[in-house]
Amino acid sequence: MTTKTNTRKLRGRQLGLPFTGRTGANNAITDVAGVGVGFQTIIENEPRPGRRRPTRTGVTAILPHMGSETPVPVYAGVHRFNGNGEMTGTHWIEDGGYFLGPVVITNTHGVGMAHHATIKWMIDHYASTYQTDDFLWIMPVIAETYDGALNDINGMHVSEADVRAALDNVAAGPVQEGSCGGGTGMITYGFKGGTGTSSRVVEFDGRSYTIGTLVQANHGQRDWLTIAGVPVGKHMRDGTPQSQLQERGSIIVVIATDLPLAPHQLKRLARRAAIGIGRNGTPGGNNSGDIFLAFSTANAHPMAHKASGHLPLQIVNDEPLDPIYMAAVDSVEEAVVNAMLAADDMGGTPHDRFLIRAISHDRLAELVQQYGRMEPEGIQS
């Protein structure tokens, strides 16, 4: 097995794209304090023995309360925009309003292994909780998108060791993007896609809070693609197979915040991801699984069986939440574009069905400038 760390390319703001809002230090989901992200990337351009296709897949792990020796419940909300996909644990999020442990994202046929391995990791990682009380159960949140155009998905190559590696690699700070982790083999609007992230810092009732977003982008078709209000997909469509691909993918959006939101508010926040991905052109195609999760790291109560009968709950007023919704929409839009800009060409070997090109930074900048949408000062830091 080989792994890959891609060279950092220019992100959307560095290219001069006119995204709005103030970002956190890393412009990433990890700008929410306590949230960590880890990856395991598998890229093998030669088929494994007995297989016909290359292996290009992986695992992405998001841990809300990194460093805690016990699992900490996080209030959460989910939204299914289009349901041709999977995210486990959502029935309890709908009923109980929270989840425990990490969020893991992989490919469609890796969900079972990711679920199995995440449970085992939690039993080991939170040994003081699960190895001393074997009456407890674990329902992890595992999500997926389909990478079968570039990966031997039926080979089911994601292993328990791969999942555990992603979980063990969870860290704060800058987040890798593009062809990495669960996003390794993903395609976005007919360009190479994958993992993207962004954040916003917002003022609420005199205090600063952070909204952070991570996407696994594998959705859309070329003629839909819009960036900064410019119909770039129509200008970049040509006779190549990658520009003619129809919508057959999905997108997972994870929104994190340190704002003290209750489950009903987090469900409403998760819904706004549909507007964020819509800004880049997708209507939520029939074959797409567009599934969104929002969680808050505030109100960090102990597990229910160790808590008192009454829980202290800090909750904000719904009335002033519109800027929070806008920040989430803006962050999702930018994260999708960052995923595309960070990706590299993939495929094109004698064992592949496709060569999927990454979007051209130069051509994108040229088009956005032609439409008068580029930032006047050009490339941003």
Side-chain angles (χ1 to χ4, degrees):
M1 181 184 74
T2 59
T3 62
K4 175 184 174 175
T5 301
N6 57 332
T7 303
R8 194 80 169 184
K9 292 185 175 182
L10 291 180
R11 305 177 79 194
R13 288 173 182 253
Q14 296 170 321
L15 195 63
L17 300 180
F19 293 118
T20 59
R22 178 164 65 100
T23 74
N26 299 296
N27 193 15
I29 193 172
T30 51
D31 291 329
V32 179
V35 175
V37 176
F39 297 106
Q40 175 72 348
T41 301
I42 310 165
I43 298 178
E44 300 171 4
N45 290 318
E46 291 293 322
R48 294 187 179 185
R51 307 301 304 174
R52 293 187 301 153
R53 306 292 182 194
T55 301
R56 305 185 185 101
T57 191
V59 182
T60 301
I62 304 168
L63 191 58
H65 286 282
M66 185 178 54
S68 175
E69 294 182 357
T70 60
V72 179
V74 287
Y75 287 127
V78 295
H79 179 63
R80 180 195 71 248
F81 182 47
N82 198 73
N84 196 351
E86 180 64 273
M87 181 183 286
T88 70
T90 55
H91 296 296
W92 181 240
I93 293 173
E94 291 277 23
D95 273 8
Y98 71 91
F99 67 89
L100 283 166
V103 177
V104 172
I105 318 174
T106 185
N107 74 59
T108 307
H109 295 180
V111 170
M113 178 54 71
H115 195 278
H116 166 86
T118 300
I119 289 174
K120 293 186 71 174
W121 181 87
M122 289 180 68
I123 290 170
D124 293 340
H125 189 73
Y126 302 119
S128 62
T129 297
Y130 292 115
Q131 293 186 16
T132 58
D133 189 347
D134 57 9
F135 194 66
L136 295 174
W137 57 90
I138 301 173
M139 290 187 293
V141 177
I142 312 296
E144 56 78 27
T145 60
Y146 176 80
D147 59 14
L150 288 168
N151 171 50
D152 177 27
I153 191 169
N154 290 338
M156 302 178 71
H157 299 302
V158 171
S159 68
E160 179 180 338
D162 293 323
V163 179
R164 294 183 73 104
L167 289 162
D168 289 338
N169 288 334
V170 164
V175 174
Q176 190 179 350
E177 295 176 297
S179 304
C180 60
T184 298
M186 303 305 168
I187 302 169
T188 308
Y189 293 102
F191 291 109
K192 186 66 190 69
T195 304
T197 191
S198 183
S199 70
R200 295 294 184 276
V201 177
V202 293
E203 299 299 317
F204 189 93
D205 199 25
R207 292 180 57 185
S208 292
Y209 294 94
T210 303
I211 307 288
T213 300
L214 185 141
V215 304
Q216 185 163 295
N218 187 55
H219 65 298
Q221 60 188 49
R222 180 69 60 85
D223 56 333
W224 295 345
L225 178 59
T226 301
I227 296 178
V230 177
V232 297
K234 295 185 184 299
H235 291 282
M236 291 186 175
R237 199 170 189 192
D238 52 36
T240 62
Q242 66 166 355
S243 76
Q244 308 299 321
L245 290 175
Q246 292 185 322
E247 168 70 90
R248 297 188 64 82
S250 302
I251 181 168
I252 298 296
V253 178
V254 179
I255 303 172
T257 185
D258 54 2
L259 186 68
L261 298 177
H264 77 279
Q265 296 171 318
L266 289 158
K267 184 176 180 66
R268 296 175 69 189
L269 186 66
R271 285 196 204 114
R272 270 60 187 185
I275 302 173
I277 68 171
R279 281 189 177 172
N280 294 126
T282 180
N286 179 72
N287 289 312
S288 191
D290 306 329
I291 307 175
F292 316 137
L293 169 72
F295 67 84
S296 171
T297 57
N299 293 303
H301 301 140
M303 293 178 67
H305 72 293
K306 292 189 175 181
S308 62
H310 289 78
L311 295 175
L313 175 64
Q314 185 183 16
I315 180 174
V316 301
N317 186 354
D318 284 323
E319 286 296 317
L321 281 179
D322 285 355
I324 306 301
Y325 295 148
M326 184 60 74
V329 170
D330 289 342
S331 180
V332 171
E333 175 192 16
E334 185 170 354
V336 172
V337 176
N338 282 339
M340 298 172 67
L341 290 173
D344 299 307
D345 295 354
M346 185 170 284
T349 76
H351 309 291
D352 280 296
R353 288 170 288 184
F354 300 104
L355 167 61
I356 303 297
R357 299 278 188 191
I359 193 168
S360 165
H361 286 210
D362 291 343
R363 179 59 175 147
L364 173 60
E366 178 187 5
L367 286 168
V368 175
Q369 196 159 25
Q370 284 177 7
Y371 276 76
R373 297 289 294 144
M374 188 68 78
E375 289 287 358
E377 58 268 33
I379 292 177
Q380 305 298 298
S381 61

